[in-house]
């Protein structure tokens, strides 16, 4: 899969900018705050119909303007997809692929699969369980439409079940039959999600160690463990057992919305004992594992976006990452960094196919050397 061209109008700090990308590695270089990450975010928009960083579309319109648009051309298995996304203030967002309007954004997800790595990945280790659930959901949704449908369905059912519990509490009345209508449907979607998460986390677990130790040259044992109430009990039993508690709490206290993923280094919590460098290497390895898995599932190479490559990594590790991602196992890559000279040094002796885009004063120049 390739992103051949990209045109941004009024997107964040850019008035208008055009890119024609290299099929292999594209570097966006410039000082902090010049708008490098914004370019990656526009690619994320095309893939997920929203920003990676903030979900309020209007905040992504250039200050003082009334709309933004993103025009692009993707190539997948020799087929070309002209993809257009635009948002106008107080109006709805539009996505068109080859002039066909996308009616439901959820059905757009998975058309242009990407893996994105940013310094925010540290939140996967340090942040809440919700962040980790989202991480696994986003990965699976890109190759499994049924999973996405079950997820949407599950969230809706939990919301409705909680409303019902609140109404019962207020009215001092309870109907088990009404609750069971929700339980039956929850069990179907919940079990699908549980089994899929379990399968995919196990596959990631098998892959991540190799990246962490051989690519990033650590010598440690790292592990990923899926934690779900459904591992020990059937979901319908859990719902039945927790009903008395749910009645008092007025929410559904058991299910896959309580899942978590534990990360370990040498048997200890990665959050508590991993150094910043180890945590960064761990999340990066996780992204490589994700990439390999997604590629296998969809049958072609997704785009790989790496924001602030040097963040918390030394030059040797960055060098080995760059030579690794230059191999045929990877497709097209987009990397941001602040230092043109250090990237030049790293790729000086390679025969890489790459393009350099330097950014300054909201303008982008392609640097040829
Ligand atoms: N809606 C917007 N309109 C204009 N500028 C914006 C908007 N949103 C963000 N910016 C600008 O984008 C810049 C940050 O861009 P970013 O891509 O994060 O920088 P970098 O990754 O190069 O450090 C800031 O200067 C910010 O003011
Ligand atoms: Mg940035």
């Amino acid at each position: 899969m390739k992103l051949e061209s990209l045109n941004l109008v009024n997107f964040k700090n850019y008035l208008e900018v055009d890119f024609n990308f290299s099929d292999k590695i594209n570097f966006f270089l410039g000082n902090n705050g010049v708008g490098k990450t914004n370019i990656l975010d526009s690619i994320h928009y095309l893939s997920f119909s929203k920003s990676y960083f903030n979900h309020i579309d209007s905040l992504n319109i250039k200050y003082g303007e009334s709309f933004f648009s993103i025009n692009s051309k993707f190539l997948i298995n020799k087929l070309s997809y002209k993809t257009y996304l635009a948002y106008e203030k107080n109006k709805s967002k539009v996505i068109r692929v080859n002039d066909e309007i996308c009616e439901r954004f959820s059905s757009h997800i998975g058309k242009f699969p990407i893996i994105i790595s940013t310094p925010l990945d540290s939140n996967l280790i340090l942040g809440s369980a919700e962040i980790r659930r989202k991480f696994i959901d986003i990965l699976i949704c890109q190759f499994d439409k049924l999973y996405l449908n079950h997820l949407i369905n599950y969230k809706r059912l939990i919301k409705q079940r909680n409303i019902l519990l609140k109404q019962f509490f207020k009215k001092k009345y309870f109907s088990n039959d009404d609750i069971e209508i929700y339980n039956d449907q929850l069990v179907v979607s919940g079990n699908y999600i549980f089994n899929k998460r379990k399968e995919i986390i196990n596959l990631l677990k098998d892959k991540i160690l190799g990246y962490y130790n051989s690519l990033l040259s650590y010598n440690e044992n790292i592990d990923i463990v899926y934690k779900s109430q459904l591992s020990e009990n059937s979901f319908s039993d859990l719902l039945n057992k927790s009903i008395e508690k749910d009645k008092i709490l007025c929410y559904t206290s058991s299910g896959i919305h309580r899942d978590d993923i534990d990360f370990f280094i040498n048997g200890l919590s990665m959050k508590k004992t991993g150094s910043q460098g180890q945590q960064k290497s761990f999340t990066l390895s996780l992204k490589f594992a994700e990439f390999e898995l997604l590629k296998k599932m969809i049958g072609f190479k997704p785009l790989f976006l790496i924001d602030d490559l040097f963040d918390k990594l030394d030059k040797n590790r960055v060098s080995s990452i760059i030579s690794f991602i230059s191999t045929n196992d990877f497709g097209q890559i987009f990397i941001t960094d602040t230092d043109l000279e250090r990237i030049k040094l790293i790729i000086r002796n390679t025969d890489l196919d790459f393009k350099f885009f330097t950014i300054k004063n909201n303008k982008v120049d392609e640097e040829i050397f």
Side-chain angles (χ1 to χ4, degrees), residues 32-33 35-38 53 119 307-308 336:
N32 277 325
K36 302 180 297 294
T37 305
N38 293 347
F53 299 94
D307 193 24
D308 282 335
T336 76

Side-chain angles (χ1 to χ4, degrees), residues 256-274:
I256 53 92
H257 57 294
R258 309 296 298 271
D259 284 359
D260 201 354
I261 309 171
D262 280 340
F263 302 136
F264 295 101
I265 176 162
N266 297 329
L268 300 168
S269 149
M270 179 60 94
K271 180 177 174 176
K272 290 189 186 132
T273 55

Side-chain angles (χ1 to χ4, degrees), residues 13 143 155-156 180 192 215 227 242 244 293 307 325:
N13 62 311
F143 62 82
K155 285 185 179 164
R156 180 181 53 82
E180 275 192 352
Y192 187 91
L215 176 64
K227 265 196 344 200
S242 58
E244 290 309 318
L293 200 144
D307 193 24
I325 57 181

Side-chain angles (χ1 to χ4, degrees), residues 20-64:
N20 279 300
F21 292 123
S22 156
D23 281 357
K24 202 57 203 165
I25 306 193
N26 297 278
F27 290 102
F28 304 108
L29 301 150
N31 292 336
N32 277 325
V34 295
K36 302 180 297 294
T37 305
N38 293 347
I39 300 166
L40 299 189
D41 202 25
S42 71
I43 301 174
H44 187 275
Y45 245 109
L46 292 169
S47 188
F48 286 98
S49 76
K50 60 188 174 199
S51 163
Y52 184 70
F53 299 94
N54 74 67
H55 292 177
I56 304 168
D57 293 311
S58 59
L59 293 179
N60 300 312
I61 300 176
K62 188 174 191 303
Y63 303 142

Side-chain angles (χ1 to χ4, degrees), residues 158-366:
I158 289 285
K159 210 167 158 185
Q160 290 171 345
R161 190 181 189 269
N162 291 349
I163 290 172
L164 192 65
L165 286 165
K166 274 191 197 100
Q167 285 171 351
F168 287 160
F169 188 80
K170 263 194 202 149
K171 291 182 185 157
K172 299 191 171 46
Y173 158 88
F174 183 75
S175 154
N176 205 40
D177 289 351
D178 289 353
I179 284 289
E180 275 192 352
I181 294 172
Y182 286 107
N183 290 4
D184 291 347
Q185 299 177 65
L186 273 173
V187 165
V188 176
S189 288
N191 279 338
Y192 187 91
I193 295 164
F194 168 71
N195 286 317
K196 210 65 195 186
R197 282 181 181 169
K198 190 163 93 177
E199 176 196 337
I200 297 307
I201 290 167
N202 277 331
L203 288 172
L204 286 176
K205 181 201 197 80
D206 291 343
K207 297 182 193 305
I208 188 170
L209 195 64
Y211 290 116
Y212 187 81
N213 284 334
S214 52
L215 176 64
L216 291 148
S217 50
Y218 287 96
N219 192 13
E220 278 137 357
N221 194 18
I222 54 168
D223 200 8
I224 309 178
V225 177
Y226 178 39
K227 265 196 344 200
S228 177
Q229 298 165 332
L230 276 71
S231 303
E232 317 251 299
N233 293 285
S234 81
F235 193 14
S236 53
D237 276 357
L238 283 167
L239 287 167
N240 288 333
K241 271 189 219 157
S242 58
I243 189 61
E244 290 309 318
K245 191 162 130 200
D246 290 2
K247 272 157 87 175
I248 297 164
L249 294 171
C250 295
Y251 70 76
T252 309
S253 61
S254 53
I256 53 92
H257 57 294
R258 309 296 298 271
D259 284 359
D260 201 354
I261 309 171
D262 280 340
F263 302 136
F264 295 101
I265 176 162
N266 297 329
L268 300 168
S269 149
M270 179 60 94
K271 180 177 174 176
K272 290 189 186 132
T273 55
S275 70
Q276 280 203 344
Q278 286 167 329
Q279 293 187 355
K280 170 76 184 185
S281 301
F282 177 83
T283 54
L284 201 57
S285 307
L286 194 57
K287 296 288 157 170
F288 282 124
E290 253 193 289
F291 180 88
E292 191 189 327
L293 200 144
L294 184 57
K295 180 173 85 171
K296 190 165 158 247
M297 294 294 179
I298 58 180
F300 60 89
K301 296 163 193 160
L303 304 186
F304 201 3
L305 281 49
I306 308 178
D307 193 24
D308 282 335
L309 178 61
F310 266 93
D311 174 63
K312 301 190 191 79
L313 287 179
D314 52 60
K315 190 164 143 272
N316 290 340
R317 289 203 169 96
V318 171
S319 289
S320 71
I321 288 168
I322 290 185
S323 37
F324 177 61
I325 57 181
S326 322
T327 60
N328 259 339
D329 291 340
F330 287 83
Q332 195 183 24
I333 296 151
F334 301 84
I335 296 174
T336 76
D337 186 42
T338 47
D339 194 335
L340 175 68
E341 295 310 317
R342 75 176 163 199
I343 291 284
K344 273 185 181 168
L345 273 179
I346 287 176
I347 59 170
R348 192 177 41 184
N349 299 320
T350 64
D351 52 0
L352 263 180
D353 175 7
F354 60 83
K355 280 193 178 184
F356 274 2
F357 300 95
T358 51
I359 306 161
K360 207 173 171 182
N361 302 328
N362 306 319
K363 298 264 182 313
V364 180
D365 283 310
E366 195 184 324

